[in-house]
Amino acid sequence: MPDPVAEGGEAVIAVKAAPVDPSDVMNVAGQMGATPLPHTPGRDFSGVVLDGPENWVGAEVWGTGGDVGFARDGSHAELLAIPAAALARKPERLSFEEASVVGISFITGWLGAIEAAQLAKGENIAVFGVSGGVGGAVAQIAHAIGARVIGVGRVRPADDTPAASIIEEFVALDGSAQDIGSTIKRLTAGHGVEVVYDTVGGVTTQAALASLAPPRPSRGDQRHRHPDRGDRPRRPVPQRNPRPGM
């Protein structure tokens, strides 16, 4: 395939690191029917701008999502073309490898837990699917803002993962919805959690709802969030437009 070129407001990036996300695997397996062929997968990336706006050439950048890996060729290649308006400088403290894996998992986690559910310091959050990429990211985000994290899943996070050292309790998904909800309420002194982040959905929804605390008078809502199936709030959550190409 020919190398991409910087034209029409685009920039070309030399990819330094790009992870393989679950959606990349699904895409390659043909489960994303709208993806044109032939096609290069890959949604997340970090790298160096080779060509494009003069003030960006040579800059270390990172990015994720948008149409990258779907409507346009993705990051599993040496070179990647994206809209110049979507360029974002990589934090200096992160290596290329570290920056490349932040994208989908942490942005999805932040949008759900912080922007949609409005998780606050001192609150309890139950993370269903805590051993997965998004679940682990949510656990780290919640811990960083001072929330108490209860992990829920079929298996406990591996000892060498960040989530393993962050969750304060772990509840196995091996009982009825009411049993799981009762266990989580027992771990919160009978109160329940203010926020549930459900990365699984469907089979876990009833258990997630059974885990919630009564609405706080000062907050007035309960939040149950699934990243791919939309918000399920008891009050409307304002929608925000994502940055183009990100």
Side-chain angles (χ1 to χ4, degrees), residues 22-144:
S23 57
D24 297 325
V25 177
M26 295 173 63
N27 203 0
V28 171
Q31 298 178 28
M32 306 289 189
T35 301
L37 297 174
H39 181 74
T40 302
R43 301 180 68 188
D44 293 343
F45 64 89
S46 64
V48 177
V49 178
L50 289 184
D51 195 10
E54 184 176 351
N55 61 317
W56 280 98
V57 174
E60 297 182 352
V61 296
W62 63 341
T64 183
D67 58 357
V68 173
F70 290 102
R72 67 170 63 234
D73 281 327
S75 59
H76 295 173
E78 294 180 354
L79 300 176
L80 169 69
I82 66 169
L87 291 171
R89 295 184 186 274
K90 178 182 74 65
E92 293 183 0
R93 65 182 180 275
L94 297 182
S95 68
F96 284 113
E97 291 78 11
E98 291 169 336
S100 72
V101 299
V102 170
I104 293 172
S105 295
F106 281 84
I107 289 178
T108 302
W110 181 272
L111 290 174
I114 305 303
E115 296 204 11
Q118 301 171 30
L119 178 68
K121 180 179 180 180
E123 290 189 325
N124 296 290
I125 180 173
V127 183
F128 281 65
V130 70
S131 297
V134 174
V138 172
Q140 294 177 67
I141 292 168
H143 177 77

Side-chain angles (χ1 to χ4, degrees), residues 2 38 46 59 81 87 90 100 120 131-132 191 197 212 214 216-217 221 223:
S46 64
L87 291 171
K90 178 182 74 65
S100 72
S131 297
H191 182 66
Y197 198 115
L212 285 167
R216 284 185 178 183
D221 72 299
R223 286 90 68 192

Side-chain angles (χ1 to χ4, degrees), residues 150 170-172 177-188 211:
I150 298 174
F170 177 77
V171 178
Q178 289 305 315
D179 287 343
I180 294 168
S182 295
T183 299
I184 291 174
K185 288 185 175 179
R186 176 177 57 79
L187 294 173
T188 55
S211 306

